[in-house]
Amino acid sequence: MSGSRNDCRIYVGNLPPDIRTKDIQDLFYKFGKVTFVDLKNRRGPPFAFVEFEDPRDADDAVHARDGYDYDGYRLRVEFPRGGGHGSFRGGRGGGDRGRSSRGPPARRSQFRVLVTGLPPSGSWQDLKDHMREAGDVCFADAFKDGSGVVEFLRYEDMKYAIKKLDDSRFRSHEGEVTYIRVKEDRGGSDRRSGGRSRSRSYSPRRRGSPTYSPVKRSYSRSRSRS
């Protein structure tokens, strides 16, 4: 999916003075295909513009990296003024982190699996990265009790995930390893019994996209982003 340039372009500020273009690419490549990085570091504090191929990847990057602690610097990541399409994350009880839910509605699917056995530090992004080995993930959510839900765009991707990723080795961004169970959610409803979610994502990913380990970061188990 492609969007206008403004929808795919994000601003990154409060960068360390020795930042390099490659460092910025390493910060954002896990969210989707980065088409261009424009680093401004010749005068004054450095900042950058990062462009993604898919506007949903840009939206994910803003929500995951804004406020991120990078080498002692708290990053400021946002859509440039007049750009961006708002959050896709307002589907269940309001947008995350106080952002409004402008733009198109979330893309949801009936091809849903339940995941159990996630480690305490397992996040929605970790879960999405793990499960997209089976195909296009359009929604992922992780809960405090170690469970989660994942929705696929296609039925065959859901069945492949159940067959190949059930009892698979799951590694969180903090290095915690568990073996997760994956089964079809036949109830067809949003899960709420596990408490408030750690976060969520609505970004489809292409089959065959590699799973990357996130940049080393400080992380504390969050009660909620909502």
Side-chain angles (χ1 to χ4, degrees), residues 110-125:
Q110 62 180 322
F111 308 128
R112 180 185 299 108
V113 298
L114 298 178
V115 181
T116 55
L118 295 171
S121 62
S123 68
W124 64 270
Q125 187 70 50

Side-chain angles (χ1 to χ4, degrees), residues 115 118 122-132 137 139-143 147-150 170-171 180 182:
V115 181
L118 295 171
S123 68
W124 64 270
Q125 187 70 50
D126 298 329
L127 181 58
K128 179 176 70 173
D129 287 346
H130 186 83
M131 300 301 291
R132 69 185 183 184
V137 174
F139 177 88
D141 212 347
F143 301 91
S147 65
V149 293
V150 178
F170 179 95
R171 181 184 177 92
I180 61 172
V182 180

Side-chain angles (χ1 to χ4, degrees), residues 88-108:
F88 290 136
R89 296 170 170 76
R92 298 209 305 251
D96 283 309
R97 301 176 64 186
R99 284 180 167 83
S100 61
S101 180
R102 302 187 303 270
R107 190 173 186 180
R108 299 296 301 270

